[in-house]
Amino acid sequence: MRITNDGSYKFCRWASAESVDTDENIQSIDPIQWFQKNLSELRQGLLSGQEQPGCSDCRKMESHGKVSGRQRQLLKVGVKLETFTSSMKSSKWLPIFSSSQKDGTTDQYPQDWQIDLGNYCNSACLFCDPYSSSRIASEQKKLGLIQQLPPRAWCDDPLLLDKFLTTLKSSPRLSYLHFIGGETLITPAFKKILSALIAAGLHRQVSIGFTVNLTVWDQSIVDMLSQFKEVNLGMSVECLHPVNDYVRYGGKLQQTVELLKKWIAVGKQHNWLISLRTTPTILSVLHLNTVYQFALDNQISIESCNFLNNPKFMRPTVLPQIYRQAVIDKLQPFTKLTSHNTQLINTRDPNHYQSQLCQDAASYVSYLSTSDDESHRLPELISYLKKTESIRNNSVLDYLPEYEELFRTAGY
Amino acid sequence: MKNFSELLATDTFVTVTVTVEPIVFNGDPTAWVIINGRKLYHNRLSFAMSISVEVPVLDPIEIEIGMSDKIYNQHLETALVIRSVCIDNFEIVPNYTHLARYQNERNIDAPTSYLGFNGVWILSTVDPFYRWHHRVTGQGWLLEPNT
């Protein structure tokens, strides 16, 4: 289950934009009631084999051999797509799913949460949006791209935060909490929630997942995290090339690498599951290989986010085919690291980082090789870049001279 | 399979296949194969043999492969080699041989698929196969329903 920045609920952390948005929100309805009762129609639809709005992103990932959110969540109940019937029949959850057939309700509590904590962020990544970055929000308001700043996060309201914490504490078998912002380390609610979980003794039971933007460090948070049963740390970086500073504006590559190494050291010290998280875009994909190389050299896994949906003009598929080949050529060596025949779904097993790297790279080779050309969106990209550069005083051509002809043709 | 009701209505089985091959320089060994208490073979074995059986998906699986009547001779060998133990196309030998136990009259219990002593090689999943498979192949922690 997911709670978004404004406190509204979604049935899945990966549910795409087409999923039905409701105004069902932590202000108006208890999270447990929403989970147990309000998802009844969705459950009945899933059990009757109907495709659901909001599930399309997972299908797209699977079509390119990229491990989808659906596959990850199924694995957590012991189910794999390639052995679906047998593994589902063997799952301890079968009677629970079966009992939901009648009216779609359940008496279970959510055990696995995606918790969006608002848009506190000191970075202004070009592919981000005002709801996920306060810096982007300010910038876009200055540029006239938005009229109003997003509403404050649900967790900034002490009463709502307390309500949510009560929910967590009363949930039997609470297992996994994944936090995103913004930048979690500078989000006040992150520390408050961690502290409350420790005070309630839930740190012995719960695994924590979170992502950092490699611009800040907070030792007090590291100390709290080290008390938890398990920590899944994602470190966001697009490439180990200066263009990372252009795309992830607010960062400096040297500092990024220093913090990367610091997090890796802490992660290894505490036996955390650590991975590099990337969101490949048209601007960073040319140097995506540098992240795979870093991951290989440091024996850690890489977990690229779902193929970018929005903003559409930032998608790697906006690159014309002729430019994509250079990217594919750079990624190909990583697809040959192992000869893993079966798809690796548990991508967070550190023993299989090479297979996971190989698989992730292969999914991007497939995606770039076969996806439709979206280069008609280039003018929109250039228009956006020119606007942001007017405030940031930088130029994309300083970082990607290889694309000068392409960008000038599109109006740069 | 289009929906959950169809899934519930379908009887589901796993296929267990065992392939053994005797070494007969000092006579044919007596070999036996028992899967979930069902004796599928028990006789002298002169040539390689494969046996398959279907087991309901929720039944734990116990495979016994045994050899008896070996006359020990340091110059001529009699033995039973487990060439393959496969459950729903998942090969247990050799990568998961260490999960089996070998009870033999010489009390040598190192992981093996070579039965050189009179005794029995036993692999027991304890849980239904797919739950066992999830665990032994390191698929990560599982969410457990609240009952």
Side-chain angles (χ1 to χ4, degrees):
Chain A
M1 184 166 161
R2 181 175 186 173
I3 181 166
T4 64
N5 284 344
D6 65 1
S8 56
Y9 302 128
K10 282 202 183 289
F11 68 91
C12 174
R13 60 169 55 95
W14 289 282
S16 61
E18 78 209 37
S19 63
V20 175
D21 280 329
T22 71
D23 55 8
E24 286 163 343
N25 188 291
I26 193 170
Q27 291 180 321
S28 57
I29 183 169
D30 178 78
I32 303 305
Q33 185 187 331
W34 188 84
F35 181 79
Q36 292 181 336
K37 308 273 186 283
N38 292 46
L39 288 177
S40 55
E41 202 177 310
L42 173 85
R43 281 199 191 89
Q44 286 183 300
L46 287 168
L47 291 169
S48 65
Q50 294 165 18
E51 282 192 6
Q52 299 300 308
C55 294
S56 59
D57 276 3
C58 283
R59 291 194 289 276
K60 187 176 177 185
M61 300 310 120
E62 289 161 20
S63 72
H64 292 288
K66 192 171 182 358
V67 176
S68 68
R70 173 170 83 134
Q71 288 176 291
R72 288 182 210 279
Q73 291 306 110
L74 281 173
L75 192 66
K76 290 178 186 173
V77 297
V79 177
K80 282 184 152 189
L81 288 181
E82 61 264 32
T83 56
F84 185 80
T85 302
S86 298
S87 54
M88 177 61 85
K89 276 280 189 90
S90 306
S91 170
K92 290 183 182 177
W93 286 86
L94 189 76
I96 305 295
F97 298 153
S98 186
S99 71
S100 287
Q101 275 192 294
K102 187 176 152 203
D103 62 3
T105 61
T106 183
D107 59 3
Q108 296 294 306
Y109 285 63
Q111 299 183 12
D112 184 341
W113 278 92
Q114 169 80 8
I115 303 167
D116 298 2
L117 294 174
N119 70 346
Y120 289 87
C121 196
N122 56 339
S123 289
C125 302
L126 280 172
F127 50 84
C128 198
D129 64 84
Y131 289 89
S132 303
S133 164
S134 51
R135 193 165 173 179
I136 285 273
S138 300
E139 192 177 76
Q140 288 198 0
K141 189 155 186 291
K142 261 190 220 161
L143 290 170
L145 295 174
I146 58 172
Q147 303 310 311
Q148 284 179 315
L149 294 175
R152 71 172 191 163
W154 65 274
C155 49
D156 285 346
D157 182 333
L159 290 176
L160 293 180
L161 183 59
D162 197 57
K163 183 176 179 180
F164 185 70
L165 286 168
T166 301
T167 298
L168 295 184
K169 290 177 206 171
S170 65
S171 297
R173 297 193 182 271
L174 190 66
S175 292
Y176 183 60
L177 306 176
H178 187 262
F179 297 91
I180 61 167
E183 166 53 35
T184 45
L185 294 187
I186 63 169
T187 303
F190 185 49
K191 222 173 181 171
K192 288 178 189 169
I193 294 174
L194 292 180
S195 182
L197 291 171
I198 291 169
L202 286 170
H203 57 295
R204 288 182 278 270
Q205 168 188 327
V206 169
S207 299
I208 298 288
F210 73 112
T211 307
V212 295
N213 69 4
L214 298 171
T215 63
V216 293
W217 183 265
D218 188 325
Q219 187 60 44
S220 64
I221 291 181
V222 172
D223 292 341
M224 279 199 278
L225 287 166
S226 66
Q227 299 180 57
F228 279 80
K229 173 187 159 190
E230 182 186 83
V231 173
N232 289 214
L233 165 65
M235 300 173 286
S236 291
V237 62
E238 307 318 318
C239 55
L240 281 302
H241 176 278
V243 75
N244 193 67
D245 295 344
Y246 180 83
V247 175
R248 298 188 67 88
Y249 187 72
K252 289 280 176 252
L253 187 60
Q254 188 183 337
Q255 184 198 33
T256 299
V257 174
E258 278 169 17
L259 279 172
L260 253 178
K261 290 179 180 170
K262 197 170 178 182
W263 278 112
I264 290 170
V266 161
K268 289 190 173 173
Q269 180 195 346
H270 294 291
N271 221 22
W272 292 352
L273 299 175
I274 51 180
S275 64
L276 300 180
R277 303 300 312 271
T278 67
T279 309
T281 67
I282 180 176
L283 301 177
S284 62
V285 74
L286 181 63
H287 299 289
L288 181 59
N289 62 302
T290 57
V291 186
Y292 287 105
Q293 191 61 54
F294 184 92
L296 193 61
D297 293 341
N298 289 275
Q299 299 178 350
I300 56 178
S301 67
I302 180 168
E303 192 179 323
S304 56
C305 297
N306 279 357
F307 304 134
L308 187 68
N309 219 350
N310 291 303
K312 293 183 172 62
F313 53 76
M314 293 285 298
R315 293 174 180 169
T317 45
V318 177
L319 262 184
Q321 203 62 45
I322 192 169
Y323 286 86
R324 293 190 203 178
Q325 195 54 51
V327 179
I328 292 168
D329 291 343
K330 284 182 168 190
L331 293 179
Q332 284 285 19
F334 298 98
T335 69
K336 297 172 171 54
L337 283 174
T338 67
S339 56
H340 210 91
N341 293 326
T342 54
Q343 191 180 30
L344 192 70
I345 311 296
N346 182 22
T347 54
R348 294 189 178 171
D349 182 345
N351 298 312
H352 297 298
Y353 74 93
Q354 279 201 14
S355 298
Q356 194 277 327
L357 249 161
C358 177
Q359 184 174 275
D360 200 88
S363 75
Y364 265 89
V365 168
S366 167
Y367 173 61
L368 290 168
S369 302
T370 62
S371 295
D372 291 341
D373 185 315
E374 291 193 276
S375 57
H376 60 277
R377 302 190 193 278
L378 276 167
E380 203 181 341
L381 168 70
I382 298 304
S383 170
Y384 183 67
L385 293 184
K386 281 163 71 172
K387 284 183 180 130
T388 58
E389 287 178 3
S390 70
I391 283 191
R392 299 178 183 192
N393 293 316
N394 56 8
S395 168
V396 65
L397 295 185
D398 290 339
Y399 299 90
L400 289 171
E402 301 90 339
Y403 291 168
E404 179 166 3
E405 188 184 340
L406 179 69
F407 288 169
R408 295 243 186 256
T409 310
Y412 191 80
Chain B
M1 187 100 22
K2 294 207 175 87
N3 57 53
F4 197 73
S5 296
E6 280 184 31
L7 180 126
L8 290 178
T10 306
D11 286 332
T12 312
F13 298 89
V14 297
T15 303
V16 183
T17 305
V18 169
T19 302
V20 291
E21 184 173 1
I23 293 178
V24 299
F25 296 118
N26 196 27
D28 300 347
T30 299
W32 70 87
V33 176
I34 302 173
I35 296 177
N36 280 23
R38 203 168 129 200
K39 191 175 284 186
L40 300 166
Y41 186 87
H42 190 183
N43 211 328
R44 291 270 178 200
L45 189 68
S46 308
F47 302 102
M49 168 189 73
S50 270
I51 287 179
S52 278
V53 71
E54 289 198 325
V55 174
V57 74
L58 284 178
D59 286 2
I61 296 174
E62 182 161 290
I63 302 166
E64 280 185 44
I65 302 170
M67 182 182 76
S68 63
D69 299 334
K70 169 173 174 162
I71 299 167
Y72 293 92
N73 181 322
Q74 69 179 66
H75 301 296
L76 294 170
E77 174 70 325
T78 289
L80 189 65
V81 180
I82 303 172
R83 289 287 179 217
S84 168
V85 172
C86 212
I87 306 177
D88 261 12
N89 297 317
F90 177 70
E91 184 58 73
I92 294 190
V93 170
N95 290 334
Y96 297 92
T97 309
H98 60 281
L99 297 175
R101 60 187 193 277
Y102 182 29
Q103 295 166 351
N104 58 80
E105 60 189 12
R106 296 288 171 95
N107 291 319
I108 293 174
D109 60 1
T112 187
S113 56
Y114 185 98
L115 310 188
F117 311 114
N118 291 318
V120 61
W121 184 96
I122 302 171
L123 177 80
S124 179
T125 65
V126 180
D127 289 322
F129 171 68
Y130 281 94
R131 293 186 202 170
W132 176 87
H133 179 273
H134 185 106
R135 196 172 65 247
V136 304
T137 58
Q139 299 302 314
W141 48 259
L142 287 167
L143 297 170
E144 300 275 340
N146 186 39
T147 51

